[in-house]
PDB file of all heavy atoms in Angstrom:
ATOM      1  N   ARG A 343      20.661  29.327  -3.916  1.00 93.00           N
ATOM      2  CA  ARG A 343      19.394  29.992  -3.615  1.00 93.00           C
ATOM      3  C   ARG A 343      18.180  29.095  -3.841  1.00 93.00           C
ATOM      4  O   ARG A 343      17.078  29.408  -3.412  1.00 93.00           O
ATOM      5  CB  ARG A 343      19.244  31.260  -4.466  1.00 93.00           C
ATOM      6  CG  ARG A 343      20.142  32.409  -4.026  1.00 93.00           C
ATOM      7  CD  ARG A 343      19.722  32.888  -2.657  1.00 93.00           C
ATOM      8  NE  ARG A 343      20.555  33.983  -2.169  1.00 93.00           N
ATOM      9  CZ  ARG A 343      20.487  34.466  -0.946  1.00 93.00           C
ATOM     10  NH1 ARG A 343      19.641  33.939  -0.079  1.00 93.00           N
ATOM     11  NH2 ARG A 343      21.271  35.459  -0.569  1.00 93.00           N
ATOM     12  N   GLU A 344      18.373  27.964  -4.542  1.00 92.00           N
ATOM     13  CA  GLU A 344      17.260  27.076  -4.860  1.00 92.00           C
ATOM     14  C   GLU A 344      17.682  25.619  -4.691  1.00 92.00           C
ATOM     15  O   GLU A 344      18.875  25.303  -4.720  1.00 92.00           O
ATOM     16  CB  GLU A 344      16.776  27.295  -6.302  1.00 92.00           C
ATOM     17  CG  GLU A 344      16.121  28.628  -6.565  1.00 92.00           C
ATOM     18  CD  GLU A 344      15.594  28.728  -7.980  1.00 92.00           C
ATOM     19  OE1 GLU A 344      16.109  27.997  -8.854  1.00 92.00           O
ATOM     20  OE2 GLU A 344      14.657  29.520  -8.220  1.00 92.00           O
ATOM     21  N   VAL A 345      16.685  24.757  -4.530  1.00 92.00           N
ATOM     22  CA  VAL A 345      16.919  23.321  -4.495  1.00 92.00           C
ATOM     23  C   VAL A 345      15.826  22.641  -5.313  1.00 92.00           C
ATOM     24  O   VAL A 345      14.651  23.032  -5.250  1.00 92.00           O
ATOM     25  CB  VAL A 345      16.921  22.781  -3.043  1.00 92.00           C
ATOM     26  CG1 VAL A 345      15.583  23.025  -2.347  1.00 92.00           C
ATOM     27  CG2 VAL A 345      17.270  21.298  -3.014  1.00 92.00           C
ATOM     28  N   LYS A 346      16.215  21.667  -6.105  1.00 94.00           N
ATOM     29  CA  LYS A 346      15.240  20.923  -6.903  1.00 94.00           C
ATOM     30  C   LYS A 346      14.473  19.964  -6.008  1.00 94.00           C
ATOM     31  O   LYS A 346      15.064  19.269  -5.173  1.00 94.00           O
ATOM     32  CB  LYS A 346      15.932  20.163  -8.028  1.00 94.00           C
ATOM     33  CG  LYS A 346      16.526  21.065  -9.104  1.00 94.00           C
ATOM     34  CD  LYS A 346      17.175  20.238 -10.202  1.00 94.00           C
ATOM     35  CE  LYS A 346      17.756  21.141 -11.283  1.00 94.00           C
ATOM     36  NZ  LYS A 346      18.421  20.350 -12.346  1.00 94.00           N
ATOM     37  N   ALA A 347      13.158  19.934  -6.205  1.00 93.00           N
ATOM     38  CA  ALA A 347      12.285  19.091  -5.374  1.00 93.00           C
ATOM     39  C   ALA A 347      11.635  18.010  -6.226  1.00 93.00           C
ATOM     40  O   ALA A 347      11.307  18.238  -7.401  1.00 93.00           O
ATOM     41  CB  ALA A 347      11.213  19.938  -4.701  1.00 93.00           C
ATOM     42  N   GLY A 348      11.442  16.839  -5.645  1.00 93.00           N
ATOM     43  CA  GLY A 348      10.800  15.741  -6.364  1.00 93.00           C
ATOM     44  C   GLY A 348      10.483  14.605  -5.417  1.00 93.00           C
ATOM     45  O   GLY A 348      10.251  14.814  -4.223  1.00 93.00           O
ATOM     46  N   PHE A 349      10.513  13.365  -5.927  1.00 93.00           N
ATOM     47  CA  PHE A 349      10.105  12.195  -5.151  1.00 93.00           C
ATOM     48  C   PHE A 349      11.201  11.136  -5.173  1.00 93.00           C
ATOM     49  O   PHE A 349      11.924  10.990  -6.158  1.00 93.00           O
ATOM     50  CB  PHE A 349       8.809  11.603  -5.701  1.00 93.00           C
ATOM     51  CG  PHE A 349       7.677  12.597  -5.746  1.00 93.00           C
ATOM     52  CD1 PHE A 349       7.384  13.272  -6.925  1.00 93.00           C
ATOM     53  CD2 PHE A 349       6.945  12.882  -4.619  1.00 93.00           C
ATOM     54  CE1 PHE A 349       6.364  14.203  -6.976  1.00 93.00           C
ATOM     55  CE2 PHE A 349       5.929  13.821  -4.649  1.00 93.00           C
ATOM     56  CZ  PHE A 349       5.634  14.482  -5.828  1.00 93.00           C
ATOM     57  N   ASP A 350      11.279  10.356  -4.083  1.00 89.00           N
ATOM     58  CA  ASP A 350      12.252   9.274  -4.016  1.00 89.00           C
ATOM     59  C   ASP A 350      11.679   7.958  -4.538  1.00 89.00           C
ATOM     60  O   ASP A 350      12.277   6.899  -4.403  1.00 89.00           O
ATOM     61  CB  ASP A 350      12.769   9.097  -2.588  1.00 89.00           C
ATOM     62  CG  ASP A 350      11.652   8.844  -1.586  1.00 89.00           C
ATOM     63  OD1 ASP A 350      10.473   8.707  -2.017  1.00 89.00           O
ATOM     64  OD2 ASP A 350      11.932   8.804  -0.369  1.00 89.00           O
ATOM     65  N   ARG A 351      10.507   8.036  -5.125  1.00 87.00           N
ATOM     66  CA  ARG A 351       9.871   6.874  -5.764  1.00 87.00           C
ATOM     67  C   ARG A 351       8.896   7.381  -6.811  1.00 87.00           C
ATOM     68  O   ARG A 351       8.580   8.568  -6.857  1.00 87.00           O
ATOM     69  CB  ARG A 351       9.122   6.026  -4.727  1.00 87.00           C
ATOM     70  CG  ARG A 351       8.012   6.779  -3.994  1.00 87.00           C
ATOM     71  CD  ARG A 351       7.316   5.877  -2.991  1.00 87.00           C
ATOM     72  NE  ARG A 351       6.344   6.566  -2.186  1.00 87.00           N
ATOM     73  CZ  ARG A 351       5.075   6.785  -2.554  1.00 87.00           C
ATOM     74  NH1 ARG A 351       4.636   6.370  -3.735  1.00 87.00           N
ATOM     75  NH2 ARG A 351       4.240   7.416  -1.735  1.00 87.00           N
ATOM     76  N   GLU A 352       8.428   6.478  -7.666  1.00 86.00           N
ATOM     77  CA  GLU A 352       7.411   6.863  -8.633  1.00 86.00           C
ATOM     78  C   GLU A 352       6.123   7.217  -7.892  1.00 86.00           C
ATOM     79  O   GLU A 352       5.773   6.568  -6.905  1.00 86.00           O
ATOM     80  CB  GLU A 352       7.140   5.722  -9.621  1.00 86.00           C
ATOM     81  CG  GLU A 352       8.314   5.412 -10.534  1.00 86.00           C
ATOM     82  CD  GLU A 352       8.023   4.277 -11.485  1.00 86.00           C
ATOM     83  OE1 GLU A 352       7.374   3.304 -11.049  1.00 86.00           O
ATOM     84  OE2 GLU A 352       8.447   4.346 -12.648  1.00 86.00           O
ATOM     85  N   LEU A 353       5.444   8.244  -8.358  1.00 87.00           N
ATOM     86  CA  LEU A 353       4.212   8.673  -7.708  1.00 87.00           C
ATOM     87  C   LEU A 353       3.015   8.211  -8.532  1.00 87.00           C
ATOM     88  O   LEU A 353       2.808   8.646  -9.662  1.00 87.00           O
ATOM     89  CB  LEU A 353       4.183  10.192  -7.555  1.00 87.00           C
ATOM     90  CG  LEU A 353       2.908  10.771  -6.923  1.00 87.00           C
ATOM     91  CD1 LEU A 353       2.660  10.157  -5.545  1.00 87.00           C
ATOM     92  CD2 LEU A 353       2.992  12.281  -6.818  1.00 87.00           C
ATOM     93  N   PHE A 354       2.241   7.297  -7.949  1.00 87.00           N
ATOM     94  CA  PHE A 354       1.024   6.782  -8.561  1.00 87.00           C
ATOM     95  C   PHE A 354      -0.176   7.224  -7.728  1.00 87.00           C
ATOM     96  O   PHE A 354      -0.075   7.378  -6.513  1.00 87.00           O
ATOM     97  CB  PHE A 354       1.034   5.245  -8.601  1.00 87.00           C
ATOM     98  CG  PHE A 354       1.941   4.647  -9.631  1.00 87.00           C
ATOM     99  CD1 PHE A 354       3.272   4.387  -9.327  1.00 87.00           C
ATOM    100  CD2 PHE A 354       1.477   4.332 -10.889  1.00 87.00           C
ATOM    101  CE1 PHE A 354       4.119   3.829 -10.259  1.00 87.00           C
ATOM    102  CE2 PHE A 354       2.314   3.769 -11.837  1.00 87.00           C
ATOM    103  CZ  PHE A 354       3.634   3.512 -11.519  1.00 87.00           C
ATOM    104  N   VAL A 355      -1.307   7.387  -8.380  1.00 88.00           N
ATOM    105  CA  VAL A 355      -2.588   7.518  -7.689  1.00 88.00           C
ATOM    106  C   VAL A 355      -3.554   6.536  -8.323  1.00 88.00           C
ATOM    107  O   VAL A 355      -3.427   6.180  -9.502  1.00 88.00           O
ATOM    108  CB  VAL A 355      -3.162   8.956  -7.761  1.00 88.00           C
ATOM    109  CG1 VAL A 355      -2.298   9.913  -6.985  1.00 88.00           C
ATOM    110  CG2 VAL A 355      -3.327   9.409  -9.197  1.00 88.00           C
ATOM    111  N   THR A 356      -4.496   6.068  -7.537  1.00 91.00           N
ATOM    112  CA  THR A 356      -5.494   5.130  -8.012  1.00 91.00           C
ATOM    113  C   THR A 356      -6.850   5.822  -8.027  1.00 91.00           C
ATOM    114  O   THR A 356      -7.267   6.385  -7.011  1.00 91.00           O
ATOM    115  CB  THR A 356      -5.547   3.889  -7.102  1.00 91.00           C
ATOM    116  OG1 THR A 356      -4.229   3.344  -6.982  1.00 91.00           O
ATOM    117  CG2 THR A 356      -6.475   2.833  -7.669  1.00 91.00           C
ATOM    118  N   LEU A 357      -7.527   5.781  -9.185  1.00 88.00           N
ATOM    119  CA  LEU A 357      -8.766   6.534  -9.378  1.00 88.00           C
ATOM    120  C   LEU A 357      -9.839   5.647  -9.976  1.00 88.00           C
ATOM    121  O   LEU A 357      -9.535   4.729 -10.749  1.00 88.00           O
ATOM    122  CB  LEU A 357      -8.526   7.704 -10.340  1.00 88.00           C
ATOM    123  CG  LEU A 357      -7.349   8.638 -10.033  1.00 88.00           C
ATOM    124  CD1 LEU A 357      -7.110   9.552 -11.212  1.00 88.00           C
ATOM    125  CD2 LEU A 357      -7.641   9.438  -8.782  1.00 88.00           C
ATOM    126  N   PRO A 358     -11.112   5.923  -9.642  1.00 89.00           N
ATOM    127  CA  PRO A 358     -12.187   5.246 -10.374  1.00 89.00           C
ATOM    128  C   PRO A 358     -12.048   5.534 -11.866  1.00 89.00           C
ATOM    129  O   PRO A 358     -11.628   6.623 -12.262  1.00 89.00           O
ATOM    130  CB  PRO A 358     -13.459   5.880  -9.796  1.00 89.00           C
ATOM    131  CG  PRO A 358     -13.050   6.366  -8.443  1.00 89.00           C
ATOM    132  CD  PRO A 358     -11.627   6.813  -8.587  1.00 89.00           C
ATOM    133  N   LYS A 359     -12.368   4.580 -12.682  1.00 89.00           N
ATOM    134  CA  LYS A 359     -12.215   4.748 -14.128  1.00 89.00           C
ATOM    135  C   LYS A 359     -12.971   5.992 -14.599  1.00 89.00           C
ATOM    136  O   LYS A 359     -14.084   6.251 -14.182  1.00 89.00           O
ATOM    137  CB  LYS A 359     -12.714   3.502 -14.860  1.00 89.00           C
ATOM    138  CG  LYS A 359     -11.786   2.310 -14.712  1.00 89.00           C
ATOM    139  CD  LYS A 359     -12.240   1.142 -15.568  1.00 89.00           C
ATOM    140  CE  LYS A 359     -11.309  -0.052 -15.405  1.00 89.00           C
ATOM    141  NZ  LYS A 359      -9.961   0.201 -15.908  1.00 89.00           N
ATOM    142  N   GLY A 360     -12.325   6.778 -15.470  1.00 83.00           N
ATOM    143  CA  GLY A 360     -12.946   7.973 -16.022  1.00 83.00           C
ATOM    144  C   GLY A 360     -12.708   9.236 -15.221  1.00 83.00           C
ATOM    145  O   GLY A 360     -13.246  10.290 -15.570  1.00 83.00           O
TER     146      GLY A 360
END
Side-chain angles (χ1 to χ4, degrees):
R343 287 294 179 188
E344 292 184 336
V345 61
K346 292 181 179 179
F349 303 97
D350 57 5
R351 60 180 175 85
E352 293 179 321
L353 178 57
F354 286 88
V355 293
T356 307
L357 309 169
K359 287 186 180 294

